[in-house]
Structure formats: C-alpha cells, structure tokens
Amino acid sequence: MSDKNYSSILANEKMVNEKNFLFNTYTVVLVIIFISNCILNCFFLKDYTYVNVFLLLVVIMLLTLFLPNKIRFNKNLLIAVFFILGLLTFYCDIAAGKGAMNYLSYISLTTAISFFFDYKRDKIIIVSLVGSYILFFLINDYTNYSLLPDIHQNLSYTEQHYVRFYKALEIIFCTLIAVYFIHRKEKTMLMYYTETENLNALLNTNKKIISRELYDMAINNSPLFMQSFNSSFPNFSNDILKLNPNVITSELEICALIMLGLKTKEIAQVTNSTVRAVENKKYRIRKKLNVPAEVDTNLFIMNSFNID
C-alpha cells in the first residue's frame, strides 16, 4: 500500500471521528437550547403547551445519539432536520410576535449549516436552506406577523423582553460553539498532517526492515505469519505484553499487521473477519494499551513498539 493511500485512510478515519464529535456536540447544543426554551416558557411566559413540545424535542434529540452513523450522516435526513428546525423557528416567530425577535434563531441555524455541509459539494443545499430561512423571515415581515392569528401568544412588553434577552444569549452561545469548532478543526488538521508525516516516516523505515516474504505471508493469511514475525522481531510482542499481559494473540496479530502498514479493510481481508470486528479489536487494543484519546492507534503502536 502506498504512503498516499495510507494517508487517505488516516484522513477518512479522522473525518469520521470528527463527524461523530460534531454531531454529538451539536446535538447536545440543541438539547441545551430546547431545555432553555422549556425554562423560558415555563417560568417566564407561562405557556405549558410549548414546554411539552420542547421537552419532546429534547427526548428526540437525545435518542439520535444512539442511532447508527449510516442514519445520522444521511444527507437527506440532515436537510429535513434543518428545514424542520427552520419551520419551528418560523412557527415560534409567528406565535411570539415581532417584538420578541424570535427570528434571530435563523442566525444560529445558518451558522450550524456551515459545519454540517460542505460548500463545494453541497452548495445548492446550503443556498436552499438559507433561502428558506430568508423566505420565512420575509413572510412574517411582509404580513406583519398577521399569519395564523390563532397561535399568537400576545406577549406583554416584559415577556417580549425576556424572549429577546434569551435569543441574544442563544446567539452568543451558538457563536462561541462555532468558534470552538473552527479552532478544533484547525487543531485537528495540524495534528493530522503531523501524524501523517510521522506515520509515513515510520512506514518507510519499516519497509526497509520487513522482508517481502514476511509481507507476502501476511497478505496471503499464512498460518506461519505470526511465528515468522515474532522470530524476526522477538521484542515486539514481548514489549506489548509487558505493557499489558492481557493482550491476546489475535490482538497481537492486529498490531503486527499495523506495523506492516495495512489499513483496517485489508486487515479484515487477511484475517477473514469483518471491518467492524477489526475496529472492535483495535478499540480493545486502545483500551488495554491506554492509548490517549487524541493519539492515533497506528501511530502509537509504531512509535511505542519499534521493530528496528
């Protein structure tokens, strides 16, 4: 496998991890916003219908944390979620009235869109969603909030003041989250490039040490691979077992294959297992070796258990 391909795999793993973090964090942000709306409607506006609605949304958002990534990362579902959130803002804006300035929530939604969609690939989606928010705002502004008069809350000046104050806090909160995401993205990219350079350097070193015969044995799933590997590099497995004697043989084999530069999918193929099974083994290896959360497993193994 070329260094370029290995870097690409590492980038994909980093992207998935960051995507998970982003989804989880923003889900928590939405939960906090919905809970804040519950508090606002319960103690300041005395509208318990909205309290129940926002509590239901809190439960739904928390349940999404347990959904598989295939569903959570579905682009069509994301579009639907952001459009529904826009409709919810539109509805609350009508109910609260112009003086409450509920429309400020469109700013928070627009900020979030930039993190969940890629501008180059999803330009039409981004423009469409932001365009729908602008349309919702213009409808209320043009009709002077006379649309759907039956849902108007008829808030007093004091109650409108509470809503405006809350919306200001919401925007500040979401802006700080956005700044943090930007900082994390820059930090992650810097870490990725550093790790990639280190991994490529270690792989180049390993290529000079590991024989072609040993590599072919691994690729062909030879039952003699681990015996030959341990014979060539006796300190490798011993050093791992010194760190944690509970590392089992199959996990030692994964570590050896990582030293050869094999990616997760290739390891699954040569060990006749699934990608998920290999990922689970790598996760258990991380736990047993106490790999820091911010450190890549492959880089940790290559740095900590050299074969030169």
Side-chain angles (χ1 to χ4, degrees):
M1 180 178 61
S2 69
D3 293 345
K4 183 178 180 181
N5 288 337
Y6 192 85
S7 300
S8 176
I9 295 302
L10 180 61
N12 289 335
E13 290 180 355
K14 288 289 182 184
M15 184 177 68
V16 171
N17 291 336
E18 281 303 298
K19 223 173 186 181
N20 269 316
F21 172 81
L22 181 63
F23 272 65
N24 292 339
T25 303
Y26 198 75
T27 297
V28 173
V29 169
L30 285 176
V31 168
I32 293 172
I33 290 174
F34 291 151
I35 290 175
S36 300
N37 273 284
C38 288
I39 295 172
L40 177 68
N41 281 279
C42 182
F43 296 103
F44 297 96
L45 305 183
K46 308 297 182 182
D47 193 325
Y48 301 106
T49 301
Y50 285 100
V51 172
N52 293 328
V53 170
F54 284 111
L55 280 176
L56 177 61
L57 290 171
V58 167
V59 173
I60 292 173
M61 294 311 300
L62 288 176
L63 288 176
T64 62
L65 292 172
F66 301 97
L67 292 174
N69 288 342
K70 186 176 181 180
I71 297 177
R72 299 175 73 206
F73 295 168
N74 185 282
K75 190 172 293 185
N76 292 328
L77 183 60
L78 276 176
I79 295 170
V81 167
F82 275 100
F83 185 74
I84 290 172
L85 289 174
L87 279 176
L88 180 63
T89 300
F90 178 58
Y91 182 88
C92 292
D93 195 25
I94 295 173
K98 187 175 184 178
M101 300 171 65
N102 246 318
Y103 51 79
L104 291 176
S105 291
Y106 293 129
I107 298 175
S108 302
L109 288 176
T110 301
T111 302
I113 285 173
S114 63
F115 292 100
F116 282 86
F117 296 97
D118 183 88
Y119 180 75
K120 290 182 179 180
R121 295 195 306 266
D122 307 319
K123 188 182 300 183
I124 296 176
I125 295 173
I126 294 173
V127 171
S128 298
L129 286 172
V130 175
S132 68
Y133 299 158
I134 295 173
L135 179 62
F136 292 153
F137 169 77
L138 291 176
I139 289 173
N140 278 342
D141 187 62
Y142 180 76
T143 60
N144 198 27
Y145 290 77
S146 61
L147 199 65
L148 304 175
D150 293 339
I151 69 169
H152 288 179
Q153 292 176 294
N154 298 316
L155 301 178
S156 66
Y157 175 79
T158 301
E159 290 172 331
Q160 289 180 353
H161 178 74
Y162 288 146
V163 178
R164 287 198 298 269
F165 180 72
Y166 164 72
K167 288 300 166 184
L169 291 179
E170 178 185 307
I171 291 176
I172 293 172
F173 177 60
C174 290
T175 301
L176 290 175
I177 292 296
V179 170
Y180 172 69
F181 280 164
I182 293 171
H183 169 72
R184 182 181 174 89
K185 184 177 180 180
E186 291 177 347
K187 183 179 178 181
T188 301
M189 291 303 296
L190 178 62
M191 185 183 300
Y192 158 68
Y193 285 121
T194 302
E195 287 183 352
T196 301
E197 289 178 1
N198 291 338
L199 277 168
N200 287 339
L202 289 169
L203 281 171
N204 287 331
T205 301
N206 289 355
K207 285 176 182 178
K208 298 175 182 178
I209 300 172
I210 298 173
S211 66
R212 182 66 194 182
E213 181 183 359
L214 191 59
Y215 184 83
D216 288 340
M217 290 175 67
I219 294 298
N220 295 321
N221 194 21
S222 170
L224 300 176
F225 166 68
M226 278 305 294
Q227 181 180 340
S228 299
F229 186 90
N230 288 329
S231 177
S232 300
F233 312 107
N235 293 329
F236 179 75
S237 294
N238 291 335
D239 288 343
I240 293 178
L241 293 173
K242 285 179 183 177
L243 188 62
N244 190 330
N246 295 320
V247 178
I248 60 178
T249 304
S250 62
E251 292 167 348
L252 288 172
E253 183 180 7
I254 297 295
C255 293
L257 293 172
I258 286 174
M259 296 300 288
L260 268 63
L262 270 64
K263 58 187 178 182
T264 301
K265 187 176 180 180
E266 290 175 329
I267 293 175
Q269 290 174 344
V270 302
T271 57
N272 291 323
S273 56
T274 64
V275 171
R276 175 63 66 183
V278 175
E279 289 174 344
N280 289 337
K281 285 183 180 179
K282 289 181 73 173
Y283 176 77
R284 289 195 291 271
I285 291 169
R286 284 187 66 91
K287 290 296 182 182
K288 290 181 179 181
L289 300 183
N290 293 319
V291 181
E294 69 278 4
V295 177
D296 178 72
T297 305
N298 295 23
L299 183 60
F300 178 85
I301 291 173
M302 288 187 179
N303 267 328
S304 303
F305 312 105
N306 294 325
I307 57 176
D308 51 0

